[in-house]
Amino acid sequence: MNENHDKCVVCRETIVRNHTRPLRVCDLAVCQQSYRNHLNQAGKICVVCGAMVQSTPTTKPVTCHSQNCQRQAASWRGADEAFCRVCGIHLTSNQRAEGICAQAYCRQQLTVASAAQKSQRLNEKRERLEYLAMSQWFTSGQGEDVSSSQTLHQQCPLPIVVPANRRPLSTPPVERIAILRENLVRLVETAASEASTMEHSSAELAERFGHERETEEAFEAEKADSNFDVLVGHACGTCLGFCCFAGREHAFLKVSDVRRTMTDKHIVNVETVVDEFLSHIPDQTVEGSCLFHGPQGCGMPRRMRSDMCNTTLCPSLVNLYHKSAGQAEAQSYLMAATNVEDDLDPEPRVFALKVAKLLTTS
């Protein structure tokens, strides 16, 4: 693109130089939309100035009617010339490494395309892993045993592939516990300060948030009776906590989470609350993972865990939700710990298998 170009390629009005503004199109919504529509419909633009070319281009590289643009494009005969992979404009030397220009539309399209490609790769890998898991299940001889069970329908289990935590256990380092303590102190002090500002005692605070607690408990009770919640337990028990790695020394806890524990246990003293959380760190934890991540899963009671930990579904659990929807309660599921989330390892690998047997509850 011509670095001295300062006219909107749609309305031809002058663009005030500003790093936050587009390089070719002004801020008018109609110009932005017109330019996006042109590119979305595979329209061509001048490789020099970026102006929209409405007629069918007869030359390569594509240029507008400007003689200056045509002369400049004609001078590009070197093999090292590069063009944006989205819009086709000529790239500056600084842009050639990425293969994309600085236009916001192009960068957004590249991000969308990259995400779609990654999603497609993961879906294809998931399908290969499901086939591999079923093959290993039949080869191991488990297929005959499970399918002959009188408590299950005479059908194969539905394969569900989940990530695999394969990290070893070790004694949690005191340095990491110290960092966790600092994070907890900050959260609890904030929660206590809010309570003090509202001039509520712990009992009044419990009453204030009582309706929230009742709603959450009703939701938990409803989930506890659902087959999906049981399936999630089997799936996470097979995975062994791949998603917990990101918890590190904060466990995703927020002020609202520690406030819930303060309300539940009727304690407001900062050190007491912090000690309550720290008491749930297992003696052995998964190396490099959340400090509450132990051999039996999370060391904290569910009510003390962060809302994120209690509600977030990984892609494998979302897949489980869709596969289990509308299925009979007696449907069985083959949970397989795999490398499904490892984008650097395209070779399908199955590390563990577990059959979830859901019996009818009539």
Side-chain angles (χ1 to χ4, degrees), residues 39 43 82 88 93 97 128 159 186 208 222 252 266 272 336 358:
L39 293 177
S93 57
R128 297 198 306 271
R186 183 173 62 255
R208 174 181 173 83
E222 180 182 349
F252 300 108
H266 302 287
T272 303
L358 298 183

Side-chain angles (χ1 to χ4, degrees), residues 176 244-251 285-286 288-294:
R176 293 190 60 202
C244 300
F245 295 158
R248 303 290 299 170
E249 294 87 23
H250 53 74
T285 60
V286 177
S289 186
C290 175
L291 281 169
F292 295 101
H293 187 187

Side-chain angles (χ1 to χ4, degrees), residues 70-136:
Q70 293 174 4
R71 282 195 297 268
Q72 188 169 342
S75 68
W76 295 332
R77 292 291 183 263
D80 60 341
E81 301 299 339
F83 302 88
C84 176
R85 68 181 80 174
V86 177
C87 70
I89 201 167
H90 185 258
L91 298 177
T92 66
S93 57
N94 294 333
Q95 297 169 345
R96 291 177 185 176
E98 291 186 283
I100 188 169
C101 69
Q103 183 72 14
Y105 170 88
C106 296
R107 293 189 171 273
Q108 180 185 23
Q109 290 299 106
L110 184 63
T111 299
V112 171
S114 298
Q117 291 173 0
K118 181 177 181 180
S119 177
Q120 182 178 355
R121 286 198 309 271
L122 288 177
N123 287 336
E124 292 174 351
K125 186 176 182 180
R126 187 180 298 277
E127 291 177 357
R128 297 198 306 271
L129 284 165
E130 289 175 352
Y131 177 81
L132 180 60
M134 289 295 291
S135 298
Q136 291 188 7

